[in-house]
């Protein structure tokens, strides 16, 4: 005979059974999610690929250089190999490839920035070449950027024949290129006051610099280049040009300014 006591015992039994089914269903759902997340998604093509821009290189070409295709996945792509391939590009200074589990990819690039521009002989023609603070040529000609050299110092005295992207200029000039890059970033107005910087090689070792201040006939000799010296040099050029119109050279190589007149000078 069905009694209240039997009903009381059956109710917890049904509740316990329902709870077990719920736990089982939850375990199956979590397990399926883990299988999808850990066992399937990492093998599927990336759902999102972010690539930072690089001048002169399209997104498609960057992905191709990095070895990233429409079928690349978290498991199949070797990030270090992709970084190495991207860093080999002349236009790229640094490249980092990040795989975000389970199916996202991020490529962070830093393009080379021109510290100065020079002119080189290429197939019998003179063309502008752009190089960075490490002396690496990464652009030849304007390549659709006609005003690319407008705000860059022009360096003469470098002998560059048949340049190619990735070509490295002599390491002895690296300190000059780095200083030019610092001036370009911190005090571009000082560089804008100079129309040309000529490298004057010494007979045995090293080099001097000859600066051509803009809108002046005075030339300035220096043994090095830095922000304070350039500022002082340009100031002295203004002062001496106002006092003595016949000045040809101002020489700062000894640490003290001396000058020669045009009649007595010989370069």
């Amino acid at each position: 005979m069905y009694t209240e006591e039997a009903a009381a015992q059956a109710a917890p039994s049904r509740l316990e059974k329902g709870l077990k089914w719920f736990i089982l269903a939850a375990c199956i759902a979590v397990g399926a999610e883990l299988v999808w997340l850990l066992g399937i998604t990492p093998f599927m093509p990336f759902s999102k690929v972010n690539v930072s821009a690089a001048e002169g290189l399209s997104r498609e070409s960057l992905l191709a250089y990095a070895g990233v295709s429409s079928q690349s996945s978290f498991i199949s792509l070797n990030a270090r190999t992709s970084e190495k391939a991207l860093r080999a590009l002349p236009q790229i200074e640094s490249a980092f490839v990040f795989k975000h589990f389970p199916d996202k990819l991020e490529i962070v690039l830093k393009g080379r920035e021109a510290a100065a521009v020079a002119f080189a002989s290429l197939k019998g023609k003179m063309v502008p070449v752009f190089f960075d603070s490490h002396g690496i040529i990464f652009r030849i000609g304007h390549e659709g950027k006609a005003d690319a050299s407008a705000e860059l110092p022009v360096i003469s005295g470098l002998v560059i024949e048949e340049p190619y992207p990735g070509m490295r200029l002599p390491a002895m000039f690296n300190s000059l290129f780095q200083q030019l890059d610092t001036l370009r970033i911190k005090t571009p107005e000082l560089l804008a006051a100079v129309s040309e910087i000529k490298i004057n090689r010494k007979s045995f070792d090293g080099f001097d610099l000859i600066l051509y201040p803009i809108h002046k006939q005075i030339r300035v000799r220096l043994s090095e280049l830095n922000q304070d010296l350039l500022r002082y040099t340009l100031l002295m050029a203004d002062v001496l040009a106002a006092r003595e119109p016949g000045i040809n050279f101002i020489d700062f190589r000894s640490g003290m300014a001396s000058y020669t007149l045009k009649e007595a000078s010989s370069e």
Side-chain angles (χ1 to χ4, degrees):
M1 185 175 185
Y2 189 76
T3 63
E4 291 184 1
E5 182 178 354
Q9 291 176 352
S13 178
R14 289 194 297 269
L15 181 61
E16 183 178 340
K17 186 177 181 180
L19 183 60
K20 288 181 179 179
W21 277 109
F22 174 79
I23 293 174
L24 179 61
C27 289
I28 292 174
V30 171
E33 183 69 22
L34 289 175
V35 169
W36 174 262
L37 183 65
L38 301 178
I40 298 177
T41 306
F43 292 90
M44 296 179 65
F46 289 112
S47 64
K48 187 174 183 180
V49 178
N50 291 325
V51 184
S52 59
E55 184 179 318
L57 294 169
S58 66
R59 172 186 170 90
E60 292 72 21
S61 63
L62 288 169
L63 290 176
Y65 282 118
V68 180
S69 70
S70 60
Q71 300 303 313
S72 296
S73 66
F74 185 92
I75 295 298
S76 67
L77 185 71
N78 187 314
R80 303 291 80 81
T81 300
S82 296
E83 288 178 349
K84 185 176 180 180
L86 290 169
R87 289 169 185 169
L89 295 173
Q91 302 94 328
I92 302 300
E93 182 175 340
S94 65
F96 296 94
V97 177
F98 301 100
K99 297 191 297 181
H100 300 293
F101 188 84
D103 62 347
K104 292 180 176 58
L105 180 68
E106 182 180 11
I107 299 177
V108 180
L109 304 172
K110 180 183 179 183
R112 296 191 186 277
E113 295 188 26
V117 59
F119 288 87
S121 174
L122 180 62
K123 298 179 181 179
K125 297 181 179 180
M126 297 302 293
V127 296
V129 294
F130 298 81
F131 51 90
D132 68 356
S133 59
H134 304 290
I136 295 177
I137 295 175
F138 64 94
R139 190 193 311 139
I140 299 174
H142 293 300
E143 297 182 356
K145 195 174 181 181
D147 60 346
S149 60
E151 298 180 358
L152 292 173
V154 177
I155 306 299
S156 62
L158 285 171
V159 180
I160 309 173
E161 296 183 351
E162 303 303 320
Y164 56 87
M167 181 178 182
R168 186 183 293 271
L169 299 176
M172 67 181 296
F173 301 124
N174 279 358
S175 60
L176 171 62
F177 300 152
Q178 290 165 7
Q179 198 53 247
L180 286 171
D181 196 48
T182 299
L183 289 167
R184 176 186 64 84
I185 296 170
K186 294 185 176 181
T187 53
E189 70 280 1
L190 292 180
L191 283 181
V194 179
S195 62
E196 179 185 343
I197 300 175
K198 181 179 180 181
I199 295 176
N200 187 37
R201 295 286 296 270
K202 294 181 180 179
S203 301
F204 299 100
D205 189 25
F207 59 92
D208 291 330
L209 301 173
I210 300 177
L211 274 59
Y212 294 77
I214 197 168
H215 303 316
K216 291 183 177 64
Q217 298 299 316
I218 295 176
R219 288 169 283 184
V220 180
R221 289 186 184 273
L222 298 172
S223 57
E224 60 178 339
L225 186 65
N226 59 59
Q227 178 178 322
D228 293 337
L229 182 57
L230 180 56
R231 192 185 304 277
Y232 177 69
T233 295
L234 294 173
L235 176 62
M236 288 297 296
D238 284 337
V239 171
L240 292 176
R243 290 182 180 178
E244 182 61 70
I247 293 178
N248 189 30
F249 270 104
I250 304 176
D251 196 331
F252 287 90
R253 290 175 297 177
S254 65
M256 298 183 63
S258 61
Y259 63 85
T260 58
L261 302 178
K262 292 180 181 180
E263 296 79 5
S265 68
S266 60
E267 186 172 343

